[in-house]
Coordinates of all heavy atoms in Angstrom, one line a residue:
F50 N 9.9 -8.4 4.1 CA 11.1 -8.5 3.3 C 12.1 -9.5 4.0 O 12.7 -10.3 3.4 CB 11.7 -7.2 3.0 CG 11.1 -6.6 1.8 CD1 10.4 -5.4 1.9 CD2 11.3 -7.1 0.5 CE1 9.9 -4.8 0.8 CE2 10.8 -6.5 -0.6 CZ 10.1 -5.4 -0.4
R51 N 12.2 -9.4 5.4 CA 13.1 -10.2 6.1 C 12.6 -11.7 6.0 O 13.4 -12.6 5.8 CB 13.2 -9.8 7.6 CG 14.1 -8.6 7.8 CD 14.5 -8.4 9.3 NE 13.3 -8.1 10.0 CZ 12.8 -6.8 10.1 NH1 13.4 -5.8 9.6 NH2 11.7 -6.6 10.9
R52 N 11.3 -11.9 6.1 CA 10.7 -13.2 6.0 C 11.0 -13.8 4.6 O 11.4 -15.0 4.5 CB 9.3 -13.2 6.3 CG 8.6 -14.6 6.3 CD 7.1 -14.5 6.7 NE 6.4 -13.5 6.1 CZ 5.9 -13.5 4.8 NH1 6.1 -14.5 4.0 NH2 5.2 -12.4 4.3
L53 N 10.7 -13.0 3.6 CA 11.0 -13.4 2.3 C 12.5 -13.8 2.0 O 12.8 -14.8 1.3 CB 10.5 -12.4 1.2 CG 9.0 -12.2 1.1 CD1 8.7 -11.0 0.3 CD2 8.3 -13.5 0.6
E54 N 13.3 -12.9 2.6 CA 14.8 -13.2 2.4 C 15.2 -14.5 3.0 O 16.0 -15.3 2.5 CB 15.6 -12.1 3.0 CG 17.1 -12.2 2.8 CD 17.9 -11.1 3.4 OE1 17.3 -10.2 4.1 OE2 19.1 -11.0 3.1
E55 N 14.6 -14.8 4.2 CA 14.9 -16.1 4.9 C 14.4 -17.3 4.1 O 15.0 -18.3 3.9 CB 14.3 -16.1 6.3 CG 15.0 -15.2 7.2 CD 16.5 -15.5 7.3 OE1 16.9 -16.7 7.5 OE2 17.3 -14.5 7.3
Q56 N 13.2 -17.2 3.5 CA 12.6 -18.2 2.7 C 13.5 -18.4 1.5 O 13.7 -19.5 1.0 CB 11.2 -17.8 2.3 CG 10.2 -18.0 3.4 CD 8.8 -17.5 3.0 OE1 8.6 -17.1 1.9 NE2 7.9 -17.6 3.9
H57 N 13.9 -17.3 0.9 CA 14.8 -17.4 -0.3 C 16.1 -18.2 -0.1 O 16.5 -18.9 -0.9 CB 15.1 -15.9 -0.8 CG 15.9 -15.9 -2.0 ND1 15.5 -16.2 -3.3 CD2 17.3 -15.6 -2.2 CE1 16.5 -16.1 -4.1 NE2 17.6 -15.6 -3.5
K58 N 16.6 -18.0 1.1 CA 17.9 -18.7 1.4 C 17.7 -20.2 1.6 O 18.7 -20.9 1.4 CB 18.4 -18.1 2.8 CG 19.0 -16.7 2.8 CD 19.5 -16.3 4.1 CE 19.9 -14.9 4.1 NZ 20.3 -14.4 5.5
L59 N 16.4 -20.6 1.7 CA 16.2 -22.1 1.9 C 15.9 -22.8 0.7 O 15.8 -24.0 0.7 CB 14.9 -22.2 2.9 CG 15.1 -21.6 4.3 CD1 13.8 -21.8 5.0 CD2 16.3 -22.3 5.0
V60 N 15.8 -22.1 -0.5 CA 15.5 -22.8 -1.7 C 16.7 -22.7 -2.6 O 17.5 -21.8 -2.6 CB 14.3 -22.4 -2.4 CG1 13.1 -22.6 -1.6 CG2 14.4 -20.8 -2.8
T61 N 17.0 -23.7 -3.4 CA 18.0 -23.8 -4.4 C 17.7 -23.0 -5.7 O 16.6 -23.2 -6.2 CB 18.4 -25.3 -4.8 OG1 18.6 -26.0 -3.6 CG2 19.6 -25.3 -5.7
P62 N 18.6 -22.1 -6.1 CA 18.3 -21.3 -7.3 C 18.1 -22.3 -8.5 O 18.7 -23.2 -8.6 CB 19.5 -20.5 -7.5 CG 20.1 -20.4 -6.2 CD 19.8 -21.7 -5.4
G63 N 17.1 -22.0 -9.3 CA 16.7 -22.8 -10.4 C 15.8 -24.0 -10.1 O 15.2 -24.6 -11.1
S64 N 15.5 -24.2 -8.9 CA 14.7 -25.4 -8.5 C 13.2 -25.0 -8.7 O 12.9 -23.8 -8.9 CB 14.9 -25.8 -7.1 OG 14.5 -24.8 -6.2
T65 N 12.3 -25.9 -8.7 CA 10.9 -25.7 -8.8 C 10.4 -24.8 -7.7 O 9.7 -23.9 -7.9 CB 10.1 -27.0 -8.9 OG1 10.6 -27.8 -9.9 CG2 8.7 -26.8 -9.1
A66 N 10.9 -25.2 -6.5 CA 10.5 -24.4 -5.3 C 11.0 -22.9 -5.4 O 10.2 -22.0 -5.1 CB 11.1 -25.0 -4.1
H67 N 12.2 -22.7 -6.0 CA 12.7 -21.4 -6.2 C 11.7 -20.6 -7.2 O 11.4 -19.4 -6.9 CB 14.1 -21.4 -6.7 CG 14.7 -20.0 -6.9 ND1 14.8 -19.4 -8.1 CD2 15.3 -19.2 -6.0 CE1 15.3 -18.3 -8.0 NE2 15.7 -18.1 -6.7
Q68 N 11.4 -21.2 -8.3 CA 10.5 -20.6 -9.3 C 9.2 -20.3 -8.7 O 8.6 -19.2 -8.9 CB 10.4 -21.5 -10.4 CG 9.7 -20.9 -11.6 CD 10.4 -19.7 -12.2 OE1 11.7 -19.7 -12.2 NE2 9.7 -18.7 -12.7
V69 N 8.6 -21.2 -7.9 CA 7.3 -20.9 -7.2 C 7.4 -19.7 -6.3 O 6.6 -18.8 -6.3 CB 6.8 -22.2 -6.5 CG1 5.6 -21.9 -5.7 CG2 6.4 -23.3 -7.5
K70 N 8.4 -19.7 -5.5 CA 8.6 -18.6 -4.6 C 8.7 -17.2 -5.4 O 8.2 -16.3 -5.0 CB 9.9 -18.8 -3.7 CG 9.8 -19.9 -2.7 CD 9.1 -19.4 -1.5 CE 9.2 -20.5 -0.5 NZ 8.2 -20.5 0.5
K71 N 9.6 -17.3 -6.4 CA 9.8 -16.1 -7.2 C 8.5 -15.6 -7.8 O 8.2 -14.5 -7.8 CB 10.8 -16.4 -8.4 CG 11.1 -15.3 -9.2 CD 12.2 -15.7 -10.3 CE 12.4 -14.5 -11.2 NZ 13.4 -15.0 -12.3

Side-chain angles (χ1 to χ4, degrees):
F50 276 112
R51 282 192 297 274
R52 182 177 45 80
L53 290 171
E54 184 178 10
E55 289 303 315
Q56 289 176 359
H57 179 73
K58 290 177 183 177
L59 298 175
V60 295
T61 305
S64 69
T65 303
H67 183 264
Q68 189 61 32
V69 169
K70 294 273 187 207
K71 181 178 177 182

